[in-house]
């Protein structure tokens, strides 16, 4: 897993069969040699929060922990930028994964105050899409879904 280089953008374009989005600030990718297995697209609307617009793993590669790894690598890359809040754009195929990862649905009636003030700086109407949110430090304080206790 790595942050995509300019050369990797060609692979993403072929992989997703969609044009590269101009407003994406960076992509995190999973490679197996030369083969792209998945990617995350990240937008940084301001220095207080980030948006993961896409999180995608090839259907043939799902169920092996790659989604968890990609999410963690992406959250870590965002956390290293000093960003405290992350929104993840959900959709029908992704929502159960995000719930499994214990991310919170963005309910307009229960948004934490600190996040609400950051969202006011965003020029999109986030209430009309499904979003989930987390704070990277809080997310990383929990064990990985695949980890098990080692008994001695």
């Amino acid at each position: 897993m790595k942050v995509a280089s300019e050369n990797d953008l060609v692979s993403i374009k072929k992989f997703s069969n969609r044009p590269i989005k101009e407003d994406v600030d960076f992509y995190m990718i999973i490679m197996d040699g030369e083969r792209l297995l998945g990617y995350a697209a990240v937008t940084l609307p301001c220095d207080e929060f980030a948006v993961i617009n896409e999180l995608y793993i090839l259907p043939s590669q799902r169920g092996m922990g790659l989604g968890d790894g990609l999410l963690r690598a992406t959250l870590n890359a965002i956390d290293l930028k000093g960003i405290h809040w992350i929104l993840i754009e959900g959709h029908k195929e992704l929502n159960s994964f995000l719930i499994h990862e214990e991310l919170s649905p963005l309910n307009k009636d229960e948004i934490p105050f600190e996040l609400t003030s950051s969202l006011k700086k965003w020029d999109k109407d986030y209430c009309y899409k499904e979003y989930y949110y987390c704070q990277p430090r809080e997310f990383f304080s929990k064990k990985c879904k695949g980890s098990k206790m080692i008994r001695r």
Side-chain angles (χ1 to χ4, degrees), residues 1 30 57 61-72 97 101 146:
M1 285 180 227
I30 300 177
I57 301 291
Q61 302 299 310
R62 294 178 187 167
M64 294 186 273
L66 293 178
D68 180 69
L70 178 60
L71 177 63
R72 288 178 170 281
F97 169 76
E101 292 290 324

PDB file of all heavy atoms in Angstrom, residues 1 30 57 61-72 97 101 146:
ATOM      1  N   MET A   1       0.845  -1.166   0.000  1.00  0.00           N
ATOM      2  CA  MET A   1       0.000   0.000   0.000  1.00  0.00           C
ATOM      3  C   MET A   1       0.892   1.231   0.000  1.00  0.00           C
ATOM      4  O   MET A   1       1.900   1.261   0.685  1.00  0.00           O
ATOM      5  CB  MET A   1      -0.891   0.004   1.222  1.00  0.00           C
ATOM      6  CG  MET A   1      -2.009  -0.989   1.099  1.00  0.00           C
ATOM      7  SD  MET A   1      -3.061  -0.992   2.515  1.00  0.00           S
ATOM      8  CE  MET A   1      -3.148  -2.747   2.748  1.00  0.00           C
ATOM      9  N   ILE A  30      -3.380  -0.159  -3.402  1.00  0.00           N
ATOM     10  CA  ILE A  30      -2.866  -1.479  -3.046  1.00  0.00           C
ATOM     11  C   ILE A  30      -2.429  -2.134  -4.344  1.00  0.00           C
ATOM     12  O   ILE A  30      -3.233  -2.266  -5.276  1.00  0.00           O
ATOM     13  CB  ILE A  30      -3.938  -2.370  -2.404  1.00  0.00           C
ATOM     14  CG1 ILE A  30      -4.491  -1.750  -1.136  1.00  0.00           C
ATOM     15  CG2 ILE A  30      -3.378  -3.753  -2.116  1.00  0.00           C
ATOM     16  CD1 ILE A  30      -5.614  -2.561  -0.514  1.00  0.00           C
ATOM     17  N   ILE A  57     -12.081  -2.073  -3.360  1.00  0.00           N
ATOM     18  CA  ILE A  57     -11.261  -3.272  -3.505  1.00  0.00           C
ATOM     19  C   ILE A  57     -11.912  -4.126  -4.583  1.00  0.00           C
ATOM     20  O   ILE A  57     -13.149  -4.265  -4.607  1.00  0.00           O
ATOM     21  CB  ILE A  57     -11.198  -4.079  -2.184  1.00  0.00           C
ATOM     22  CG1 ILE A  57     -10.626  -3.235  -1.042  1.00  0.00           C
ATOM     23  CG2 ILE A  57     -10.420  -5.387  -2.368  1.00  0.00           C
ATOM     24  CD1 ILE A  57      -9.173  -2.893  -1.160  1.00  0.00           C
ATOM     25  N   GLN A  61     -10.977  -9.790  -4.570  1.00  0.00           N
ATOM     26  CA  GLN A  61      -9.989  -9.662  -3.497  1.00  0.00           C
ATOM     27  C   GLN A  61     -10.626  -9.328  -2.145  1.00  0.00           C
ATOM     28  O   GLN A  61      -9.909  -9.162  -1.150  1.00  0.00           O
ATOM     29  CB  GLN A  61      -8.975  -8.570  -3.863  1.00  0.00           C
ATOM     30  CG  GLN A  61      -8.249  -8.810  -5.163  1.00  0.00           C
ATOM     31  CD  GLN A  61      -7.441 -10.092  -5.150  1.00  0.00           C
ATOM     32  OE1 GLN A  61      -6.676 -10.359  -4.240  1.00  0.00           O
ATOM     33  NE2 GLN A  61      -7.651 -10.931  -6.169  1.00  0.00           N
ATOM     34  N   ARG A  62     -11.928  -9.228  -2.099  1.00  0.00           N
ATOM     35  CA  ARG A  62     -12.615  -8.872  -0.850  1.00  0.00           C
ATOM     36  C   ARG A  62     -12.658 -10.060   0.109  1.00  0.00           C
ATOM     37  O   ARG A  62     -12.581 -11.195  -0.306  1.00  0.00           O
ATOM     38  CB  ARG A  62     -14.029  -8.382  -1.159  1.00  0.00           C
ATOM     39  CG  ARG A  62     -14.009  -7.081  -1.923  1.00  0.00           C
ATOM     40  CD  ARG A  62     -15.380  -6.600  -2.290  1.00  0.00           C
ATOM     41  NE  ARG A  62     -15.259  -5.444  -3.170  1.00  0.00           N
ATOM     42  CZ  ARG A  62     -16.259  -4.936  -3.858  1.00  0.00           C
ATOM     43  NH1 ARG A  62     -17.468  -5.466  -3.784  1.00  0.00           N
ATOM     44  NH2 ARG A  62     -16.051  -3.894  -4.634  1.00  0.00           N
ATOM     45  N   GLY A  63     -12.778  -9.752   1.382  1.00  0.00           N
ATOM     46  CA  GLY A  63     -12.854 -10.790   2.397  1.00  0.00           C
ATOM     47  C   GLY A  63     -11.495 -11.273   2.881  1.00  0.00           C
ATOM     48  O   GLY A  63     -11.408 -12.219   3.656  1.00  0.00           O
ATOM     49  N   MET A  64     -10.424 -10.627   2.443  1.00  0.00           N
ATOM     50  CA  MET A  64      -9.071 -11.039   2.829  1.00  0.00           C
ATOM     51  C   MET A  64      -8.371  -9.993   3.700  1.00  0.00           C
ATOM     52  O   MET A  64      -7.169 -10.074   3.925  1.00  0.00           O
ATOM     53  CB  MET A  64      -8.238 -11.311   1.575  1.00  0.00           C
ATOM     54  CG  MET A  64      -8.755 -12.493   0.794  1.00  0.00           C
ATOM     55  SD  MET A  64      -7.688 -12.910  -0.579  1.00  0.00           S
ATOM     56  CE  MET A  64      -8.350 -11.835  -1.840  1.00  0.00           C
ATOM     57  N   GLY A  65      -9.104  -8.982   4.136  1.00  0.00           N
ATOM     58  CA  GLY A  65      -8.515  -7.952   4.989  1.00  0.00           C
ATOM     59  C   GLY A  65      -7.904  -6.783   4.247  1.00  0.00           C
ATOM     60  O   GLY A  65      -7.355  -5.877   4.862  1.00  0.00           O
ATOM     61  N   LEU A  66      -7.990  -6.784   2.914  1.00  0.00           N
ATOM     62  CA  LEU A  66      -7.408  -5.679   2.149  1.00  0.00           C
ATOM     63  C   LEU A  66      -8.151  -4.365   2.396  1.00  0.00           C
ATOM     64  O   LEU A  66      -7.531  -3.302   2.433  1.00  0.00           O
ATOM     65  CB  LEU A  66      -7.383  -5.998   0.659  1.00  0.00           C
ATOM     66  CG  LEU A  66      -6.448  -7.130   0.234  1.00  0.00           C
ATOM     67  CD1 LEU A  66      -6.572  -7.377  -1.264  1.00  0.00           C
ATOM     68  CD2 LEU A  66      -5.017  -6.832   0.615  1.00  0.00           C
ATOM     69  N   GLY A  67      -9.465  -4.441   2.549  1.00  0.00           N
ATOM     70  CA  GLY A  67     -10.247  -3.226   2.807  1.00  0.00           C
ATOM     71  C   GLY A  67      -9.842  -2.585   4.121  1.00  0.00           C
ATOM     72  O   GLY A  67      -9.648  -1.374   4.204  1.00  0.00           O
ATOM     73  N   ASP A  68      -9.689  -3.413   5.163  1.00  0.00           N
ATOM     74  CA  ASP A  68      -9.249  -2.913   6.459  1.00  0.00           C
ATOM     75  C   ASP A  68      -7.856  -2.297   6.335  1.00  0.00           C
ATOM     76  O   ASP A  68      -7.601  -1.201   6.843  1.00  0.00           O
ATOM     77  CB  ASP A  68      -9.240  -4.048   7.490  1.00  0.00           C
ATOM     78  CG  ASP A  68      -8.791  -3.567   8.863  1.00  0.00           C
ATOM     79  OD1 ASP A  68      -9.535  -2.806   9.496  1.00  0.00           O
ATOM     80  OD2 ASP A  68      -7.680  -3.948   9.276  1.00  0.00           O
ATOM     81  N   GLY A  69      -6.967  -2.970   5.625  1.00  0.00           N
ATOM     82  CA  GLY A  69      -5.618  -2.448   5.433  1.00  0.00           C
ATOM     83  C   GLY A  69      -5.602  -1.141   4.663  1.00  0.00           C
ATOM     84  O   GLY A  69      -4.886  -0.198   5.026  1.00  0.00           O
ATOM     85  N   LEU A  70      -6.399  -1.063   3.604  1.00  0.00           N
ATOM     86  CA  LEU A  70      -6.473   0.163   2.811  1.00  0.00           C
ATOM     87  C   LEU A  70      -7.056   1.303   3.632  1.00  0.00           C
ATOM     88  O   LEU A  70      -6.542   2.430   3.602  1.00  0.00           O
ATOM     89  CB  LEU A  70      -7.312  -0.068   1.549  1.00  0.00           C
ATOM     90  CG  LEU A  70      -7.510   1.137   0.642  1.00  0.00           C
ATOM     91  CD1 LEU A  70      -6.178   1.676   0.128  1.00  0.00           C
ATOM     92  CD2 LEU A  70      -8.414   0.765  -0.527  1.00  0.00           C
ATOM     93  N   LEU A  71      -8.106   1.023   4.386  1.00  0.00           N
ATOM     94  CA  LEU A  71      -8.694   2.060   5.235  1.00  0.00           C
ATOM     95  C   LEU A  71      -7.670   2.554   6.249  1.00  0.00           C
ATOM     96  O   LEU A  71      -7.475   3.754   6.415  1.00  0.00           O
ATOM     97  CB  LEU A  71      -9.944   1.531   5.936  1.00  0.00           C
ATOM     98  CG  LEU A  71     -10.623   2.498   6.909  1.00  0.00           C
ATOM     99  CD1 LEU A  71     -11.126   3.743   6.187  1.00  0.00           C
ATOM    100  CD2 LEU A  71     -11.761   1.806   7.654  1.00  0.00           C
ATOM    101  N   ARG A  72      -6.984   1.644   6.910  1.00  0.00           N
ATOM    102  CA  ARG A  72      -5.989   2.020   7.919  1.00  0.00           C
ATOM    103  C   ARG A  72      -4.835   2.815   7.310  1.00  0.00           C
ATOM    104  O   ARG A  72      -4.393   3.819   7.877  1.00  0.00           O
ATOM    105  CB  ARG A  72      -5.463   0.783   8.643  1.00  0.00           C
ATOM    106  CG  ARG A  72      -6.480   0.202   9.581  1.00  0.00           C
ATOM    107  CD  ARG A  72      -6.004  -1.068  10.276  1.00  0.00           C
ATOM    108  NE  ARG A  72      -6.955  -1.379  11.316  1.00  0.00           N
ATOM    109  CZ  ARG A  72      -7.004  -0.795  12.503  1.00  0.00           C
ATOM    110  NH1 ARG A  72      -6.119   0.121  12.828  1.00  0.00           N
ATOM    111  NH2 ARG A  72      -7.932  -1.111  13.379  1.00  0.00           N
ATOM    112  N   PHE A  97     -19.398  -2.482   5.440  1.00  0.00           N
ATOM    113  CA  PHE A  97     -17.965  -2.510   5.783  1.00  0.00           C
ATOM    114  C   PHE A  97     -17.638  -1.389   6.771  1.00  0.00           C
ATOM    115  O   PHE A  97     -16.942  -1.610   7.768  1.00  0.00           O
ATOM    116  CB  PHE A  97     -17.107  -2.378   4.519  1.00  0.00           C
ATOM    117  CG  PHE A  97     -15.655  -2.133   4.808  1.00  0.00           C
ATOM    118  CD1 PHE A  97     -14.843  -3.164   5.242  1.00  0.00           C
ATOM    119  CD2 PHE A  97     -15.102  -0.872   4.654  1.00  0.00           C
ATOM    120  CE1 PHE A  97     -13.494  -2.937   5.529  1.00  0.00           C
ATOM    121  CE2 PHE A  97     -13.765  -0.646   4.927  1.00  0.00           C
ATOM    122  CZ  PHE A  97     -12.955  -1.681   5.368  1.00  0.00           C
ATOM    123  N   GLU A 101     -16.289  -1.672  10.600  1.00  0.00           N
ATOM    124  CA  GLU A 101     -15.072  -0.997  11.059  1.00  0.00           C
ATOM    125  C   GLU A 101     -15.353  -0.034  12.221  1.00  0.00           C
ATOM    126  O   GLU A 101     -14.454   0.651  12.690  1.00  0.00           O
ATOM    127  CB  GLU A 101     -14.421  -0.239   9.905  1.00  0.00           C
ATOM    128  CG  GLU A 101     -13.859  -1.140   8.830  1.00  0.00           C
ATOM    129  CD  GLU A 101     -12.636  -1.919   9.268  1.00  0.00           C
ATOM    130  OE1 GLU A 101     -11.808  -1.396  10.036  1.00  0.00           O
ATOM    131  OE2 GLU A 101     -12.503  -3.076   8.832  1.00  0.00           O
ATOM    132  N   GLY A 146      -8.614  -7.863  12.449  1.00  0.00           N
ATOM    133  CA  GLY A 146      -8.028  -9.179  12.231  1.00  0.00           C
ATOM    134  C   GLY A 146      -7.097  -9.631  13.351  1.00  0.00           C
ATOM    135  O   GLY A 146      -6.608 -10.748  13.343  1.00  0.00           O
TER     136      GLY A 146
END
